[in-house]
Amino acid sequence: VNAPEEPGVIERAEIIAVGTELVSSSRAETNSIFLTAALNELGIEVVAKAVVRDDVDDLAAALEESLRRSHLVVLTGGLGPTDDDLTRQAVARVLGKPLVEDPVIVERIRQRFASRGWTMPEINRRQALVIGGADVLENTVGTAPGQWLRATGVPGGASCAGRLVVLLPGPPREMQPMFHTAVFPRLRGLSGEFRLFRRIVSTSGRAESSVEEKVRPFYERWRQQPLPVAATILAASGQVDLHLSTRSADATAAAAALDRAVQDLRDRLGDDVFSTTGDSLEAVIAALLTAGGWRVALAESCTAGAVTARLVNVPGSSAWLERAVVAYSNASKTEMLGVPARLIAEQGAVSEPVALAMAEGIRASAGTEVGVGVTGIAGPGGGSPEKPVGTVVVAVVGPGAAARVRTVWLPGARAQIRASTCQLALDALRRQLQAAGAE
Amino acid sequence: VNAPEEPGVIERAEIIAVGTELVSSSRAETNSIFLTAALNELGIEVVAKAVVRDDVDDLAAALEESLRRSHLVVLTGGLGPTDDDLTRQAVARVLGKPLVEDPVIVERIRQRFASRGWTMPEINRRQALVIGGADVLENTVGTAPGQWLRATGVPGGASCAGRLVVLLPGPPREMQPMFHTAVFPRLRGLSGEFRLFRRIVSTSGRAESSVEEKVRPFYERWRQQPLPVAATILAASGQVDLHLSTRSADATAAAAALDRAVQDLRDRLGDDVFSTTGDSLEAVIAALLTAGGWRVALAESCTAGAVTARLVNVPGSSAWLERAVVAYSNASKTEMLGVPARLIAEQGAVSEPVALAMAEGIRASAGTEVGVGVTGIAGPGGGSPEKPVGTVVVAVVGPGAAARVRTVWLPGARAQIRASTCQLALDALRRQLQAAGAE
């Protein structure tokens, strides 16, 4: 269905990670992430990834499926010397090629062992088995060489002549240098003149479905442009990112198409857009503080330092972060921030007056231009009918005259409420700084 | 080739994660990791995992391939309300079933929006499309319901009658509770009598390779027991976990074998073991504080609130966390914690006397039994020949007479140094509390 028309130009790739331990473990498979980024850089789109166990039938089935669909299949792992390293066998079978021991590789592996005073175990001979017609990719870090070959056969009835199959070792520290030195340069010549260009538009303050509904009318228009722009929406903890991409041989045209799409989103989403460069919310805040010459101090309750910790993700934060307090108990709110005990008694610790007093208190004691106060009920305990779990108040005072305070009700359990509150507090700070900068 | 003989008993499963953003991004796909662990618990082996983009043909091809091989296919993602959420369509096509809008689900989604004062966007109706014959799995956290169905058709020529297909939402916070409440109990009745039993032994204070070297002699012995125990080592930010597992139909024998292995590790690793139940370091600290009737306050510099935020991961933390300060500037260390300016000038902000003074200062102002001080150079700037980037000091005072202070040099870049410092500070607090509890 998706059969590529021109086997000579590599546009679509798939990655197959091989290893029973990868399927069964609680560890994330990371080779495919590295390879996806590297292939995308070349304008090659990765359309599927698979993780299969060390089973020659499963491996062959996965490879056949991928060859039907894509110009390039990269397999990682299963090149070791043991019985359950079966990638070579599976590829040879699928492509209908012989598997022949290469004496040069045997010698190279033998020397590798010898250089450490060891004798090569006989099983390592398996690593010298080369698929007929394959180019050998030297492994400078380990014993398993990689292989690069063009399919010529017609397995499974589907034509896959000209498809590329690349076998790489599983350990990242062997795979990555091999990819850089032996695979990347070869692919550059084959991936055609097209490259993938991307933009990320990051928004905060609006739910995913709401962003989606607002921007959806653009999708069709972008798709039908002479240079189509594809969009994907990605949401996590209150941040919704739109990933835009276009494939082109013309970098200027691609940039222009993406610029227009970014502008469409800016026009439609207004202040909800906080970055069009992939910068994090904290990086945007750091830039605003630096530009305004402002310093900030924070008073956190339910987030317990997590808002401050996120700000400090940005290197150089000591230039604009003066201090913060985690005023967890009511006594600490009074003693450290000067929030009147009566105010807490009358309004409750989770209230707009208290959040404002926390922000004012920390700003005054730190002597900064900006103060942030965050208080809320993260649960599971502490909720009431008037103030259920998920009630959160965020206040920002300074650098301009007007303070900003907002109460929201966040869904979810403790961890999610705390993460969303962090995002909400940072976004309130960002909006306040932008407003002050525009004054 | 691997056709299961008894479709009634679920022994082999595959996981298909759906989403263009999962294929193309540099983010790891995590749902399959959660699902693998959960399925293994039921004695179900995961034999393959795939990540496919939002393309109905690719999705259908992956599902057909998986159905040919395995009794159970779990698909995550692609249940959203938008055009590119195509999992429902692909499954319906492969299994030859209709797709029908369920008015009860439409109503449930509508109410979900209404409860927040919002109107349901019309596109959310797509989430109410149910595959013919499927059971609907309620989503208590989001709008997309899951689906559970048995294949009856004969797609692709291969018999897959009786195979199970489960559709789950992509966001982990929706998928995980749905799996626990609706999928796990059903699968329990359908998987065989063998179960996987696990233990996690968590350690802190020792590098992965050092733990590995100490415990390696056990591996062979455990493997050759009548009931073999397998071990995997997993390390992240200063915490090294040993995952032990055994497969058995006899729960008592399995527990005994695991108990013996855990005891082997305890004997070998001593105080470095902080938990044998999978509890987090912060949960262990919370239990120690509660048992001792102690309260804690923290003074953080380079970690900027992250240590406190981790403690507050534990529900009920307000019972033992009084307050914390992020004393980022030197002035704030003096003003908020009473650290003499001269001490900072003479010893440097990153020094054992200053860390101790920070811990003492916060303990005194908070009136708690325990105080923690953390200071360090996370980089990239701020290092010197005497105190390079990665120099970190952690101090704990109370609840016993002796204080604990330690300087270490941590490798890595800013983010890694900060994460390791958090772990180090929490581990120092844990050891201090354990020592005081044993007094």
Side-chain angles (χ1 to χ4, degrees):
Chain A
V1 194
N2 289 316
E5 290 86 41
E6 262 200 280
V9 178
I10 308 291
E11 292 176 353
R12 273 195 294 284
E14 307 203 9
I15 299 162
I16 301 174
V18 184
T20 300
E21 79 287 359
L22 295 173
V23 184
S24 65
S25 97
S26 50
R27 239 178 251 227
E29 187 281 313
T30 58
N31 280 343
S32 69
I33 294 175
F34 167 86
L35 289 170
T36 299
L39 293 169
N40 285 346
E41 230 179 279
L42 291 163
I44 299 170
E45 189 188 359
V46 176
V47 298
K49 304 198 270 191
V51 183
V52 298
R53 59 183 174 167
D54 300 303
D55 177 295
V56 78
D57 295 322
D58 286 6
L59 242 163
L63 177 58
E64 276 173 22
E65 179 66 37
S66 296
L67 281 174
R68 212 165 288 143
R69 212 157 37 196
S70 294
H71 309 98
L72 165 66
V73 183
V74 182
L75 299 108
T76 61
L79 300 184
T82 71
D83 279 350
D84 54 8
D85 289 301
L86 296 163
T87 303
R88 289 175 289 257
Q89 278 77 357
V91 175
R93 190 172 98 185
V94 168
L95 298 182
K97 309 262 190 180
L99 208 49
V100 181
E101 185 179 292
D102 181 333
V104 177
I105 301 177
V106 175
E107 196 42 40
R108 203 181 290 152
I109 299 173
R110 203 185 293 283
Q111 280 170 12
R112 200 176 167 83
F113 277 94
S115 72
R116 292 169 195 193
W118 298 337
T119 306
M120 181 187 85
E122 275 308 292
I123 55 164
N124 279 77
R125 278 180 174 275
R126 288 173 64 119
Q127 299 190 295
L129 292 173
V130 175
I131 302 162
D135 293 349
V136 172
L137 311 175
E138 198 183 349
N139 188 335
T140 54
V141 183
T143 52
Q147 304 194 32
W148 164 291
L149 74 160
R150 285 255 181 211
T152 50
V154 188
S159 166
C160 71
R163 306 291 167 91
L164 269 179
V165 180
V166 178
L167 289 72
L168 298 174
R173 62 186 200 89
E174 299 180 24
M175 188 276 285
Q176 295 184 9
M178 190 182 289
F179 186 88
H180 277 308
T181 57
V183 181
F184 193 91
R186 284 174 183 237
L187 284 177
R188 188 157 36 204
L190 297 169
S191 59
E193 46 184 351
F194 281 78
R195 294 283 177 273
L196 193 78
F197 298 86
R198 293 167 179 277
R199 270 323 146 72
I200 298 175
V201 175
S202 303
T203 75
S204 198
R206 193 177 279 280
E208 177 179 17
S209 61
S210 162
V211 173
E212 171 82 27
E213 207 174 357
K214 283 204 143 208
V215 306
R216 170 191 262 268
F218 295 121
Y219 287 4
E220 199 51 33
R221 196 203 305 163
W222 292 341
R223 246 198 301 268
Q224 295 183 352
Q225 289 171 176
L227 187 52
V229 170
T232 315
I233 194 161
L234 223 79
S237 302
Q239 176 166 334
V240 179
D241 288 349
L242 288 144
H243 290 239
L244 307 174
S245 65
T246 189
R247 274 185 102 247
S248 172
D250 179 345
T252 315
L258 289 171
D259 282 346
R260 278 192 305 274
V262 167
Q263 194 54 51
D264 286 343
L265 294 177
R266 274 197 182 285
D267 293 345
R268 188 89 181 99
L269 297 169
D271 279 353
D272 294 338
V273 174
F274 67 81
S275 160
T276 59
T277 57
D279 275 351
S280 66
L281 188 50
E282 50 265 37
V284 170
I285 291 168
L288 288 165
L289 287 166
T290 305
W294 300 312
R295 286 174 319 145
V296 68
L298 299 94
E300 304 186 43
S301 181
C302 64
T303 46
V307 179
T308 307
R310 267 191 63 184
L311 283 176
V312 173
N313 286 340
V314 185
S317 49
S318 52
W320 42 261
L321 175 67
E322 212 281 332
R323 71 181 67 173
V325 301
V326 179
Y328 215 57
S329 68
N330 286 347
S332 68
K333 291 184 183 70
T334 302
E335 291 168 26
M336 294 199 290
L337 299 165
V339 181
R342 222 179 102 180
L343 190 69
I344 298 175
E346 284 173 10
Q347 305 278 340
V350 179
S351 63
E352 297 197 351
V354 168
L356 278 167
M358 289 169 69
E360 287 291 5
I362 194 69
R363 181 168 69 150
S365 69
T368 54
E369 292 75 25
V370 190
V372 178
V374 186
T375 177
I377 304 157
S384 69
E386 304 79 47
K387 291 181 185 169
V389 167
T391 306
V392 163
V393 190
V394 169
V396 186
V397 294
R404 180 182 299 258
V405 63
R406 203 176 151 209
T407 306
V408 295
W409 289 270
L410 297 170
R414 184 177 178 86
Q416 200 204 332
I417 290 169
R418 290 177 62 218
S420 302
T421 306
C422 281
Q423 187 72 15
L424 192 77
L426 291 175
D427 195 46
L429 175 57
R430 189 263 305 180
R431 286 170 193 265
Q432 180 80 346
L433 296 175
Q434 276 178 341
E439 266 171 20
Chain B
V1 194
N2 289 315
E5 292 86 41
E6 261 200 280
V9 178
I10 308 291
E11 292 176 351
R12 272 195 295 285
E14 307 203 10
I15 299 162
I16 301 175
V18 184
T20 300
E21 79 285 2
L22 296 174
V23 183
S24 66
S25 96
S26 50
R27 246 177 247 225
E29 187 281 314
T30 58
N31 281 342
S32 69
I33 294 176
F34 167 88
L35 289 169
T36 299
L39 292 169
N40 285 347
E41 229 181 280
L42 291 164
I44 299 170
E45 189 189 359
V46 176
V47 298
K49 305 198 269 191
V51 184
V52 298
R53 59 183 174 168
D54 301 302
D55 177 294
V56 79
D57 295 322
D58 287 7
L59 241 163
L63 178 58
E64 276 173 21
E65 180 65 38
S66 296
L67 281 175
R68 212 165 288 145
R69 212 156 39 195
S70 294
H71 309 97
L72 165 66
V73 182
V74 182
L75 298 108
T76 61
L79 300 186
T82 72
D83 278 350
D84 54 7
D85 290 302
L86 296 163
T87 303
R88 289 174 290 256
Q89 278 77 356
V91 175
R93 190 172 99 182
V94 168
L95 298 182
K97 310 262 189 180
L99 209 49
V100 181
E101 184 179 293
D102 182 332
V104 177
I105 302 177
V106 175
E107 196 42 40
R108 204 181 290 153
I109 298 174
R110 204 186 293 285
Q111 280 170 10
R112 199 174 170 84
F113 276 93
S115 72
R116 290 166 198 194
W118 297 338
T119 306
M120 181 185 87
E122 276 305 295
I123 54 166
N124 280 77
R125 276 180 174 277
R126 288 173 64 119
Q127 300 190 295
L129 291 173
V130 176
I131 302 162
D135 292 350
V136 171
L137 311 175
E138 199 183 347
N139 189 335
T140 54
V141 182
T143 50
Q147 305 194 32
W148 163 290
L149 74 159
R150 284 254 181 211
T152 51
V154 188
S159 166
C160 71
R163 305 293 167 91
L164 270 178
V165 180
V166 178
L167 289 72
L168 298 175
R173 64 187 196 86
E174 300 182 22
M175 187 276 285
Q176 295 183 7
M178 188 182 291
F179 186 88
H180 277 307
T181 58
V183 181
F184 193 91
R186 285 173 182 237
L187 284 177
R188 189 157 36 203
L190 297 169
S191 53
E193 51 179 349
F194 278 80
R195 293 281 177 275
L196 193 80
F197 298 87
R198 292 169 181 279
R199 273 320 148 72
I200 299 175
V201 175
S202 303
T203 76
S204 198
R206 192 177 281 280
E208 178 179 17
S209 60
S210 163
V211 172
E212 171 86 28
E213 204 172 355
K214 282 205 144 209
V215 306
R216 178 189 271 267
F218 295 120
Y219 287 4
E220 198 52 31
R221 197 204 303 164
W222 292 341
R223 242 199 304 270
Q224 294 183 351
Q225 290 171 174
L227 187 52
V229 169
T232 316
I233 194 161
L234 224 78
S237 302
Q239 176 167 334
V240 179
D241 290 347
L242 288 145
H243 290 240
L244 307 175
S245 66
T246 189
R247 247 182 130 254
S248 172
D250 179 346
T252 315
L258 290 171
D259 282 346
R260 278 192 304 274
V262 167
Q263 193 54 51
D264 286 342
L265 295 176
R266 272 197 182 286
D267 293 345
R268 191 90 181 97
L269 297 169
D271 279 352
D272 294 337
V273 175
F274 68 80
S275 158
T276 60
T277 57
D279 275 351
S280 66
L281 188 49
E282 50 266 36
V284 169
I285 290 167
L288 288 165
L289 288 165
T290 304
W294 301 311
R295 287 174 318 144
V296 68
L298 299 94
E300 304 186 43
S301 180
C302 65
T303 46
V307 179
T308 308
R310 267 191 62 184
L311 283 176
V312 174
N313 285 339
V314 186
S317 49
S318 52
W320 42 261
L321 175 67
E322 212 282 331
R323 72 181 66 173
V325 301
V326 178
Y328 215 56
S329 68
N330 287 347
S332 68
K333 291 184 182 70
T334 303
E335 291 168 26
M336 297 199 289
L337 299 166
V339 181
R342 222 180 101 180
L343 190 69
I344 298 174
E346 285 173 10
Q347 305 279 337
V350 179
S351 64
E352 297 197 350
V354 167
L356 279 166
M358 289 170 68
E360 288 291 5
I362 193 71
R363 181 167 71 149
S365 70
T368 54
E369 291 74 26
V370 189
V372 177
V374 186
T375 178
I377 304 156
S384 70
E386 304 79 46
K387 290 180 186 170
V389 167
T391 306
V392 163
V393 191
V394 169
V396 186
V397 295
R404 179 182 299 259
V405 64
R406 203 175 151 208
T407 306
V408 296
W409 289 269
L410 297 169
R414 183 176 177 88
Q416 201 202 330
I417 290 169
R418 289 178 62 217
S420 302
T421 307
C422 282
Q423 186 72 16
L424 193 77
L426 292 175
D427 195 46
L429 175 56
R430 189 263 304 181
R431 286 171 193 264
Q432 180 80 346
L433 297 174
Q434 276 179 341
E439 266 172 18

